Amino acid sequence: PTPFKRPDLSNLPWFVSASSAMQLRHSSTLMQPAEGSTPWKAKVTAICFAPDNSRMAVVTTDRIVSIYDENGERVDKFSTKPNDKGPKNYLVRSMSFCPDPAQPKLAVAQSDNIVFVYKWTGAPDSIWEGKKSICNKFAGTSPVTSLVWPVDHPFEVVYGLAEGKVKIGQLRSNKPQTLYNAESYVVALASSPNGTGVVSAHLDGSIFRYNFPDSNMPGPAYTKICTHTSVPYALSWGRSICAAGNDQVVTFYDRDGGRERTFDYSGEPAKGMPECKEFTVASFNNTGDSVAIGNFDCFYTFSYNAKADSWDENEVKVVENMYSITAMSWKNNGSSLAVGTLCGLLDLYDACIRRYTYKKVFELTYVSPSQVLIRKKSEKHSNMIKSKFGQEITKVNIYADPETKVDRYVVAHTDESLLLSDLETGKFSEIQWHGNGESEKYFFDTLNACLVSYAGELSVIEYGSDEVLASVRTEHTSSHLLSVRINERPPRQGEDNPDTPRVDDEEGNNKKIAYLLDTQTVCVKNMHTQASTTINHDIKIDFLELNSRGNLLLFRDKRRVLHLFDVDSQTRTALLNYCSYVQWVPGSDVVVAQNRNNMCVWYNIHAPDQVMVREIKGDIDGIERANGKTEVLVDETVSVSSYVLVEELIDFGTAIDDRDYVKAMQILEGMEFTPQSEAMWQQLQTMCIDNWNLKMAERCSAALGDVSRARYLRKVAKLADEAKEQGVDVRDHWQVRSKMLELKKQLEMAEDVLIAHNKVDEAITMYEDLLLFNEALEVAERRNHPDAENKRRKFYQYLIDSKQQESAALMKESEGEYVQAINLYLEAGMPGKAARVIGDNNITQPSNLLESVAIALEDADMNEKAGDFYERMGQRQRALDSFIKGHAFRKAVELARKHFPNQVVSLEESWGDHLVSINQLDMAINHFMEAHAQSKAIDAALKARQWSKALTLADQLDVDTARPYYAELAEHYAQAKQYKEAEKCYVQCDDHNKAVEMWTSAGEWENAHRLAKSYLPESEITALYMENASKMEKSQKFKEAEKLYLAVDKPDHAIAMYKRHRKFDTMIKLVSKYRKELLGESHKYLAQQLEMEGNLRDAEEHYASAGEWLAAVNMYRTNDQWEEAIRVAKFHGGVSASKRVAYAYALHLGGSAGAKLLSKLSLLEPAIDYAMESGAFTHAFELARDSLPKKVAEVHLKFALYLEDEERFQEAEQEFVQASKPREAIEMYIHQQSWSDALRVAEQYDPSAVTDVYAAQGKAASEREDWARAEEMFVAASKPDLALQMYEQSGQWQDAVRVAQRHLPHKLNEVQLRLQSAQAGMGTGGSKADYLSKGRNFEKNRKFGNAIDAYLMAKKDVIRNVDDLEEIWDQAVRVSRTNMKDRYMQVVREVCSRLVSVRKFESAAELMREADMLDEAVSIAISGQCWEKARELAADNRMLSGRVESAFQGHMVKAENTSGLMEMGHTGAALDVLAQRGDWDRLWDTAAKERVGPEVLQKYAGIRVQQLVDDGGVKYDEAVATLIEHGPPTSAAYYDMYSALVAGVLGRDQDQEKKSDQAKVVADLREVLYTVALKLRSNSTDGKLDREFENLLMATHYTHMMYLTRKHGLKELSSRCAITLLRYAGIVPTDKAFYVAGTACKEVGDLNLAFMLLNRFVDLIEAIEEGDMSGIDNSDFAEATNVPFDTPLPTYFYIPEHDAREEVRDWVLSICMDNNIEQKLPRQGESENTIYAGLYTSSKPTCIVTGYPIPSRDKLEVNNSIASKKDWNALVSKTEQCPWTNETASPMW
């Protein structure tokens, strides 16, 4: 034999497959080959890997099994046992580990007719570290040749025998069974990847397949599928069945034996490849995508190509001196291939498709397209993800745990599925998925599941499960709005209540999710049963979380109110207000929340009122629970403090929830008895009683000190023990059950139990023992007890004897003995009940009895009931007196209205006095008003602190009477800092000095200034403000000082102040606002100042703001901060500027340092370019030669071009040559016409350019008309065609013919043709005579067509005289008219066209008239503006005359000749011209002079207004003014314009309103719309107005009314107008309507309605921010029928300032916690005659002043309108004008 040589593996490269890029690289050698002359005696006979890859078993011919760990270290070995202790002359043919990782077993197939199964046992730490023993053995009748242990069959091993049988060994029964007999030596076995079957290869080449019974595969259990071309020693089963043998042919078969592909290696090997010999062994990787087949000194690999659905051949892996491969096996994760050889060599090869590093932490190895290994670089252990569908994994991401921030969760994608894995637990899931891999969002907050959001759907995927646990539709995927609980707590040990047993979730199926259906609806879904619960809320929810068991839900709304929802009982509880933090304590039902500076803890969440409150100094940051200790971490800004919770209370709650009552009791017994522990004992007692744990309930009662209950429970427990002794379930024993029901006070149920067991006496006794004789009597009567009547008598007598007359009366009343019952009630001192009996039974006799009852009622001070009694008896005066005496004024007033109307007013006043006496001042006000007691009403309002109402009442009094009230109100408003109201009151009481003092004290200098202007000289005001500003400055109150300076127009002082105090930002703001011309200088000054101070960053900012960024660059350069200089230059000046600075930096550094800098900045090449552009070629050469040699040639070229520009041509030539650009040097000399130098360079460096030099020299000669020299050079350049072209272009046709004859004879004919064409084009000289002569010659020869063509050849480009042209063309017309009439019209049209082109319009028109084409003639005259000619042509044709005049007018309009138009009488056209030109001032002047009608003015007013409306903004004011001045158009065509104008004016925001006189504009707009409405109504057949236009008018009218009433101090009317505008929301922007109405209500003191309206305003601004109003809750205004909900969402805010909007929001939040505010609207029936009435539609007419419904008694019809008399008079008394017609009016009382 050949001496063995050890294979050289040191430089073994990666092997890359051809199709799927599989890479194999030698990793390590575990066993060295044997030395000596017989190394094959160490042959490796079998290799196998454990299913978890932690062990590899190898056996050689020495029959010793070596065990290696996953790191390739040999950790164990053992000798195999012979069969029946025979001689050791057998071989181990095959081995296989059990596929179940939990069963450490190894099957060994031996040639001595036996299979042994070894098992490791007794290892405490690792299943592989214990002792080995034989647990199974299967003896045969012939040698065992092969063995496999199929996947999913851990108790069945399949092996083949030499006699041809394939057997299965049953590990459980330890018995073998023959599967089939092929009657041919079994050479190999292989199992399918999924373990559903096995294939066997036999000596005769046949291959059999066997299907296990549980595989559900069609066809027989075993069958011969094919016959291979040789003995298939190499057999394996992956995606296909691979077979190979000694004929060098590899064949892939499908499951049924169909041949898929064959590879034949029997021919000559390729160059450099070894000769293919016998294939010995084959092995597929775990995915079945790749297979390795052993051969001599090499192994072949093949990969499956999924795209081509075929197998691809890979490059052969050659290892010299390896010899034949005898055993192969892949790791079960496909990452390694173990190869054993004939000489005992054992090598490991790493296998992968690709490998890369992820996040610098993980190494990802693709061992197949569908399988990836993930390993942390710092660890040796790896995790595997594998597509169970065989799909290619296209993308892998690893996400961090949100809590620990450690990378933990793997997400991978295939084309058809999504793969998820938890690296910590090793759990893996794969689900079918059709997302794109880009739009999904993943949430890993849940411990056992991943949440995936895609296309609006949230999928919950539990790790370890291959199905989606649940899918829900939600758009709210924040971690605060999702809560998932999966098996976090064990099932309860007991039931909640035996009578209503709770069905707890089965173990492993407690899976729930809580999420938002919308912003106000929570859904809790059981993901196991798919049942769900919905919780509706009326406010947006911003947090929710389930407890760990999933039966309790915490959620918090936007108002910071915390709620608890019990999923089982479907009950909701409000836990806490102002909640800023809430969390469940992990693993329990304890809740920790924060309320402002308080920490609230609910140890027993089922008792929400039992909360422990502890003051804290910061914000809760989290909860930590570890080592038997639970701490709440509080961030106190400076440090983090921890507050320890009572662990016993937490454990108790957990034990109760788990129904572990023994543990709960043990916890309580170790605690002190406190109110908290008492509640816990009480809770435990209740649950023990509910669960019939009577002895524990007795112990709880004893602990609570409830001795009687404890004794009662002990008695019941004895009864229960007796029942148990009798073999009866205590819950079914009638006495025990009734006693327990009696204990729970469920007496009726206890009665039912006793009656069901016919225990009537016991039921009666039970009631009697409890002194419930009435119930006992009912039982006796219902059950027909013989002693029932006697019991009734005894019971009645008992009631009489025990002085229970009331009960006795009830008894007699039920028996129908009413008189006796009345007497008993009177005896019991209950005249009210006696009166009820009389009323209910209509008793009228005896009269003395009725009188007795009435007297008794009065004696008992039950005056109201006495009054009712008297009224029923018809004694109205006595009834009235009783009502008054009993202060039942409501009933007294109602009675008086019916029967004593003259007493109503006095009763109202008395009612008010009574209410004042009991301090119900609010209610008293209205009654005083009804009684017209204004002074008392105001006094009550002041005492009730109803300041707004008092002010309203004071406004209704005369000035002198109201003055003291105004003074009191002013003092209040001043103290309450409601300064505007205080100012008004001070003014009303003529105390102006106090008003000024108030504003001054409040620091409101502007208002003080405004008020003082009426009383102080300007100089004193200025001095006052300057003095106060100085004081403010000294107090560091710069903002206040600034306001004062600005108030007196002294911005320079404010700027100087900020400059002194180095408040540069504020200073710049003021400069930019008040001294814009100095802004740049200010920035520059500040920049220089800061630069001097060394504050370069701020200096840079100011330089940039001043536009002096170059100064900033120079500043950084001066301070040697070049990087900053480069940054600034790049930001402000772009890349080119940064290059220049970088270049300067490089020059500053110099040499190699500068080059390194430029290279570091990736600016080396740009720097070289810049150096060349700036002429620094020396530096450019230096940089290029040192760092960028490829750039040297370009530098030479640019230098040459520079030298050429400098006219240093010789030096430039040298540089061109060094740049390898000699042609550029040649062109340079050609350009300079230095022909000798050009020729020299061409001959020396570029001979091919010599001809170009001659050609250029010839061209130069031709340009100077040296034709002979040019011809000579062109010929010398071998380019005679250039000479020919030269002569042709210069018209030297003879020379051109000569050159063609001499040098280009083949072009001679072409030259002669071009010569003839030139001559023909020129005629015979190109003159008029030539054309006429040539045409006449054709005429003489009667060639009229040619004559016409000859005449028409005359062109204006040849003959410049247009008269000559006309004469020639006339000849063409003459010839065609006389001799060729068929061409006459054509010639006429052609000649006319030419005459028009030379502007001979009249001639052309005349020619057309001669041809009877009058229309065309007129058209030509018009186009030439020959108006007299046109009129002449159209003189006899009215239609043409009109056309001419119309065209002339259009011409005048186009020329904007308004004067001409006016002279012609076309005033309308002239005005149209002015309108189109936009000269509106002239238009109005012209219209006035011409006295045009109002309709015309309205038309142009409409056009002008439309333009202004389109411009928008302040142009609306001009639009309204235009309509006022010139009259509005009344056509329906202008509806859109009016709609846009109204929307523009009413839709202005606050800033726009301040810039305009909004009240006046609205008033004018209302007047315009009113005028249009009058006109439209007069033109309408039914006198009605279009609904949309009427809405525009009324929206504008009520807006005007709101401004007008506010102007005259009628705030209540103004607020009503504002509320009326709500019904026009849409015309008025919705947010504006609610803000204005809410503010108006706030001003009049109606805080409830103000809150409702402004709360709606806050919701609207949030909707505007989000761009969606679907989340707005409309329930508050659901019944307010005048408030529309379908209005469009505004696109901008009415209040532009964010701070102003936040002030409104803060006010709403502050009011919402005020218990005195109802925060709801009254019902429609309750709203009549209140401010709320405007929110509801009404059948009553609406007031023209306020829009409110008018009570019939107040209805006033005036000036075609309807108004409330009170409101109309209030306004007219102030304005003296009708609010509808604006006519003069007076109040109508």
Side-chain angles (χ1 to χ4, degrees), residues 1527-1546:
T1530 57
S1531 171
Y1534 292 94
Y1535 277 11
D1536 291 342
M1537 179 193 75
Y1538 287 122
S1539 178
L1541 182 57
V1542 171
V1545 173
L1546 301 189

Side-chain angles (χ1 to χ4, degrees), residues 1426-1498:
C1426 302
W1427 304 110
E1428 294 302 326
K1429 184 66 176 179
R1431 290 189 179 100
E1432 177 193 343
L1433 294 171
D1436 298 329
N1437 190 316
R1438 183 179 298 173
M1439 183 180 297
L1440 291 177
S1441 296
R1443 178 179 163 195
V1444 171
E1445 293 306 321
S1446 176
F1448 179 63
Q1449 181 179 339
H1451 166 69
M1452 298 292 282
V1453 171
K1454 186 174 182 182
E1456 298 185 355
N1457 188 349
T1458 55
S1459 299
L1461 289 170
M1462 295 295 292
E1463 291 174 1
M1464 293 172 61
H1466 297 300
T1467 305
L1471 294 177
D1472 287 340
V1473 169
L1474 292 173
Q1476 292 172 6
R1477 200 162 55 196
D1479 193 351
W1480 291 100
D1481 292 338
R1482 187 176 172 190
L1483 186 147
W1484 304 126
D1485 291 342
T1486 302
K1489 290 177 183 178
E1490 296 298 322
R1491 297 182 180 179
V1492 299
E1495 294 81 5
V1496 177
L1497 281 176
Q1498 291 170 6

Side-chain angles (χ1 to χ4, degrees), residues 21 92-93 253 341 397 714 1013 1145 1230 1268 1280 1407 1545 1679 1759:
V92 175
R93 294 299 184 88
Y253 300 97
T341 68
N397 285 318
R714 176 170 294 183
K1013 284 181 73 174
Y1145 189 14
I1230 289 174
L1407 196 58
V1545 173
E1679 297 182 4
N1759 294 337

Side-chain angles (χ1 to χ4, degrees), residues 298-328:
C298 64
F299 55 89
Y300 293 69
T301 59
F302 302 86
S303 295
Y304 178 72
N305 188 334
K307 294 182 179 179
D309 193 21
S310 178
W311 288 92
D312 291 339
E313 172 188 12
N314 301 330
E315 186 177 346
V316 180
K317 187 71 169 180
V318 179
V319 184
E320 295 183 357
N321 303 322
M322 184 171 63
Y323 293 92
S324 295
I325 295 175
T326 56
M328 298 178 78

Side-chain angles (χ1 to χ4, degrees), residues 1246-1264:
D1246 191 359
S1248 64
V1250 171
T1251 58
D1252 294 338
V1253 176
Y1254 284 129
Q1257 192 172 357
K1259 184 177 180 182
S1262 68
E1263 289 176 352
R1264 62 178 181 269

